[in-house]
Amino acid sequence: MSEASLYAHLKSGVTTTCRAWAVTRRDGQQFGFTDHDKGLSFDGIDFKADSGLTSRALQQTTGLAVDNTEAVGALSDAVVTEADLLSGRYDSAEVVAWLVNWADVADRVVQFRGTIGEVTRSAGAFQAELRGLTEALNQPQGRVFQRSCGAILGDRRCGFDLTEPGYSAQLAAGAVFDRRQFTFSALPGFDDRWFERGRLVVLSGAAAGMVGLIKIDRQGSAGREVELWQSLGADIAPDDLVRVEAGCDKQPGTCRAKFSNFLNYRGFPHLPGDDWLSAYPSSSRPQTGGSLFGSSS
């Protein structure tokens, strides 16, 4: 790749340039697009010319402000489908954009690198916001000191293995309503509300790989009823395989009693609350200088 050759080509006054984008989804699928009227190939990627994808003006700065632009295109059964967008398969996908001399694709330069942000759809088309690498600097960094646990159940900081017997179940989806409510004919061996605040992971079918957070887990008259906070983005057939995982409310008592994992608890249960900050001396409350944990002050 020769950026110098491309810059020399741009200075010539007669140019043969176009733009190309490579989109890599979190599931590993990679797609290439170009606004040229013929397909291009480089870096092992085929850039399709018939995708209908175009890009708007790119806003870039020399500071830490977030570079941003938008990609606009037509929905296509062969390239970008409405089902994939609805299911969130393009959320946070990695995007790399080049300015390319289509007469010699070795002459090219990367103009943008980032991720896909908000995606909107209407009238058979989509519009995707592209966010630069400095967008990550807008996310909270470091550890938050709070009473509840700051880890996610099953992650490296938590250290709990959800594959242990009694903490997950793998079974057919059963009766599904609105991609959000599931009724399982049998889910024995698990207490009522055992899976609340847990996850439902789809293992097969059109929605394979999608994850929903469990809002309600109840034993009803028709069977075990599990409801998600939000509908999944793809249809789920009754015989599709799903896995439900135990939930955690991030409280120390739950960590100790339900998971026997208190040594890995990542919260500060003895941290004084706002009521302690506003407390004042009172003869009706003991002022011993001892632990405030469990104290009304």
Side-chain angles (χ1 to χ4, degrees), residues 4-225:
S5 297
L6 177 63
Y7 294 145
H9 173 70
L10 294 174
K11 291 179 181 179
S12 69
V14 180
T15 62
T16 54
T17 58
C18 65
R19 288 179 173 82
W21 305 268
V23 178
T24 305
R25 301 189 324 201
R26 288 181 296 175
D27 60 5
Q29 291 285 332
Q30 188 175 61
F31 304 92
F33 310 94
T34 178
D35 58 7
H36 188 43
D37 56 6
K38 287 184 60 179
L40 306 174
S41 294
F42 57 84
D43 284 356
I45 306 171
D46 293 327
F47 298 85
K48 295 182 177 294
D50 56 355
S51 62
L53 187 72
T54 59
S55 179
R56 294 184 174 175
L58 172 63
Q59 178 181 337
Q60 292 180 303
T61 67
T62 56
L64 293 178
V66 180
D67 297 340
N68 64 82
T69 182
E70 289 180 339
V72 182
L75 294 171
S76 165
D77 289 337
V79 187
V80 181
T81 67
E82 185 169 17
D84 284 343
L85 291 176
L86 286 171
S87 65
R89 297 191 189 279
Y90 284 92
D91 292 352
S92 301
E94 181 185 6
V95 179
V96 183
W98 291 267
L99 181 66
V100 186
N101 178 0
W102 52 261
D104 183 358
V105 295
D107 297 343
R108 61 184 185 272
V109 63
V110 174
Q111 288 191 312
F112 175 86
R113 188 185 298 270
T115 57
I116 292 180
E118 183 179 3
V119 179
T120 56
R121 303 166 304 280
S122 64
F126 71 92
Q127 180 174 315
E129 178 189 14
L130 305 182
R131 300 171 178 171
L133 295 176
T134 50
E135 169 67 16
L137 298 178
N138 289 331
Q139 306 301 318
Q141 304 293 326
R143 189 172 184 181
V144 177
F145 291 85
Q146 59 188 17
R147 289 189 176 184
S148 60
C149 182
I152 298 174
L153 180 63
D155 71 1
R156 179 180 57 83
R157 296 177 61 212
C158 169
F160 186 79
D161 185 4
L162 282 168
T163 63
E164 288 189 15
Y167 292 96
S168 65
Q170 190 169 301
L171 68 171
V176 184
F177 176 73
D178 195 29
R179 303 176 180 173
R180 185 169 59 93
Q181 298 174 345
F182 298 77
T183 301
F184 303 106
S185 58
L187 198 58
F190 296 99
D191 294 339
D192 201 42
R193 306 181 64 179
W194 186 257
F195 297 103
E196 282 187 7
R197 300 176 184 262
R199 306 192 313 162
L200 182 144
V201 183
V202 184
L203 302 177
S204 66
M210 295 183 188
V211 179
L213 301 181
I214 298 175
K215 176 183 179 181
I216 297 174
D217 170 33
R218 295 286 191 276
Q219 184 64 46
S221 58
R224 193 67 171 250
E225 299 172 356

